[in-house]
Amino acid sequence: MQLEPRVQLQIRVFFFFLRFLSPITSVLFGRSFPIGERNIMAMEVTQVLLNAQSIDGAVRKNAEESLKQFQEQNLPVFLVSLSGELANEEKPVETRKLAGLVLKNALDAKEQHRKFELVQRWLSLDSNAKSQIKACLLKTLTSPVSDARSTASQVIAKVAGIELPHKQWPELIGSLLSNIHQLPAHAKQATLETLGYLCEEVSPDVVDQDQVNKILTAVVQGMSSSEGNIDVRLAATTALYNALGFAQANFSNDMERDYIMRVVCEATLSPEVRIRQAAFECLVSISSTYYEKLAPYIQDIFNITAKAVKEDEEPVALQAIEFWSSICDEEIDILEEYGGDFAGDSDIPCFYFIKQALPALVPMLLETLLKQEEDQDQDEGAWNIAMAGGTCLGLVARTVGDDIVPLVVPFIEENISKPDWRQREGATYAFGSILEGPSPEKLIPLVNVALTFMLSALTKDPSSHVKDTTAWTLGRIFEFLHGSVVDSPIISQANCQQIVTVLLQSMKDTPNVAEKACGALYFLAQGYEEMGPSSPLTPFFQEIVQSLLTVTHREDAVESRLRTAAYETLNEVVRCSTDETAPLVLQLVPVIMMELHNTLEGQKLSSDEREKQGELQGLLCGCLQVIIQKLGSSETTKYVFMQYADQIMGLFLRVFACRSATVHEEAMLAIGALAYATGADFAKYMPEFYRYLEMGLQNFEEYQVCAVTVGVVGDISRALEEKIVPYCDGIMTQLLKNLSSNQLHRSVKPPIFSCFGDIALAVGEYFEKYLMWAMSALQSAAELSTHIAGDDELVEYTNSLRNGILEAYSGIFQGFKNSPKTQLLIPYAPHILQFLDGIYMEKDMDDVVMKTAIGVLGDLADTLGSHAGSMIQQSVSSKDFLNECLSSEDLVIKESAEWAKLAIGRAISV
């Protein structure tokens, strides 16, 4: 495609000046080109793109800098030149591909704020330039070079994702559909691929139903067995996967749904493995998106999946198993939501597909458990048929409960003692997989029989695979069938010692077995958390702690997450320990402090060693956090522990100098715990710690660090109370700045509002100087958080935002209570009541928001007294809301409502 002469001239001029302005252009271009040379623009762009892929770092860096300069100085010409490179059949494949990639990155980004900027930038681009770019992209779809076609497909979808919602490029879909019937096979494949990417990028409500019908018709026709070209059929099958979200109306029409399902099921029998896999991926997606439409097809799907699991290649078999896992997920969600009560008003009844398929499904899954791979225990990312089958079996157990047990027990009994390790491991895996779902009454008799056998297998079985799975299964037994939830305990004083001895012995085994043994010990300790003042683990506490510390020093502790598992287990053992072992926990403090101190000694490390050191520091800070919380919760131990507080804080401050995000986060959390334990005494650490607090609040890139820091500001506010005043200006300024930034991840904003409440509660009427700014931010956010419709994730975020706002209001009102400046809050009361009315009328608040909201209504009445009484009486829904909370089954909501009722009563009667 020939670019417009004006654009060609602009590119030539840019590169002409670039060559004279930049000292590195001789490296980039190799030789000078005369200005009048016809193809100077194309040659220059090509060369820069080639250099950008050079193995020479300096050449590559210079080329990247040139591309950046070009983009900044003349964006329209830059983008047009890239699209021209992508469309030019005479250019090298690698430059065409990179041109397309750079073009795609100029349209999209992962970070929301950056994505928004790029969208606005494209929308404001010169329309002639956009037309040229789009023409080049569409032309590239017919290229014989597959990499160029595929890249163009992705870029077209990105442009469509920006333009279609703004009613721009309306001819795109029609143009793609008209091409599909009159093109060579490779172009048809690229067009179907483009339609697939487009459905991934664009929301279904942007495309009208007539066009959706045409897209689906083209895609499904491309999938049919009459399509002779494998690449076309594969592209169509993949496109259907992305287009399923658009097919709501089509799946509601019996004839259209039958046709789509027939074509998908046919595609699962294709001779080409990639098509079979893609077709099963479509079935998996259909199972979750259109569960309620599956009944007429479920028997056929079972036959198809059973054949694939038994006979097909692994990638296809894995998807066939995934179909049943997905059905389980759907039915578990429905059963949890409706509690098995499916009256006429249920939106989605449960069809009990799993229960009906059980007699055939369970044997099929059990057979997969014997298809293990030799080295699967060593590979952290391993995923194979045996693992997928075991995972699905676990989901089936959660779906049908007790009904699965009699179907699995014979398989366990038959295989558990066989000479072949695969059969012993498969039997153990089957047992471990069904421990969540069935009732304790059904499982405990089996566990009582199996426990001694399994403890013996964990130490004596010759196969590492069997020991690995046995340790995992013991962990599952302790997780689901041990502790206060179970009436008849499986662990007695008699077998407790044997269990501990075996687990500690297994911690010396290979890293994968030792890691699972740590996990089993974790759940063993957790089960004794609520057992009262004495724990059966108390006599073994010191031995357990010592064994775990020994594991952390193993040379192979980095394998199989072993060191992390050992520290996590140590933390749980400490957290669940009783007062009897408090002196031993105190002895652990200097040990962990010394470990942390050793990581801070100034040796020069490689980047890989520094990363490992950072992970270790994070684990040690996490361990100290748990110890601080444990010892700080009792006055006796807190008093003794305080002798270490200065040294611990000194270590944390040194850790911050390392600047690793993980360590920063863990150290920050530990400091929050220390602030809680030391209370007002924490003030002495603030002068030195404040700059790190500020750095954490400014860390938008690693937003989890920022969120944790916001939480720690709350901890410190509660600990210091009015002693935090000298730092409030800086903290509040930064928090307000964070709220107004579109660069900060949205999940950090609700905790910031909660933090306003913590600060206001700590400083009382001193908060007056921030009141106007804080209330303005709260008001804006409150308006945003009502009338929001969206998916579950958005509803969850909205509730989190509302809760943060309400916690802020609550803290502010409680902070000003009994102050002569209470009247400053009166002007804000009508808006707060309006906000409460709004969220009550929406009817989508969760229990947490309900509790906080009724608390705010009470705080309003309690703090403002008679000033609030008349406003609450005039409020649209306060009375209904209060009555609803008073009759709630949730005791916490009910208690808050009773307190609010008393406060409102006092305010009205004044």
Side-chain angles (χ1 to χ4, degrees), residues 103-104 106-109 112 115-116 118-120 122-123 130 134 137 152-170 172-173 176 194-207 246:
L103 190 54
K104 190 175 90 163
L107 298 167
D108 194 19
Q112 283 302 114
K115 187 182 178 111
F116 178 77
L118 294 177
V119 166
Q120 297 309 310
W122 173 264
L123 290 171
K130 284 197 284 195
K134 291 188 282 194
L137 292 170
S153 290
Q154 294 172 52
V155 182
I156 288 169
K158 292 293 179 192
V159 174
I162 296 172
E163 294 205 349
L164 292 184
H166 290 86
K167 309 291 183 203
Q168 296 177 16
W169 212 2
L172 169 65
I173 292 173
L176 290 170
T194 306
L195 287 168
Y197 285 134
L198 186 145
C199 291
E200 203 174 12
E201 288 294 330
V202 175
S203 169
D205 55 13
V206 167
V207 184
F246 287 69

Side-chain angles (χ1 to χ4, degrees), residues 440-484:
E441 292 74 27
K442 194 82 174 171
L443 291 172
I444 282 173
L446 296 174
V447 170
N448 285 333
V449 171
L451 198 55
T452 308
F453 181 90
M454 294 182 78
L455 290 168
S456 171
L458 186 52
T459 50
K460 294 178 184 164
D461 198 289
S463 164
S464 176
H465 292 284
V466 176
K467 287 198 277 191
D468 181 294
T469 306
T470 302
W472 172 79
T473 301
L474 285 168
R476 302 259 298 171
I477 289 170
F478 301 148
E479 182 178 3
F480 299 114
L481 298 168
H482 158 58
S484 55

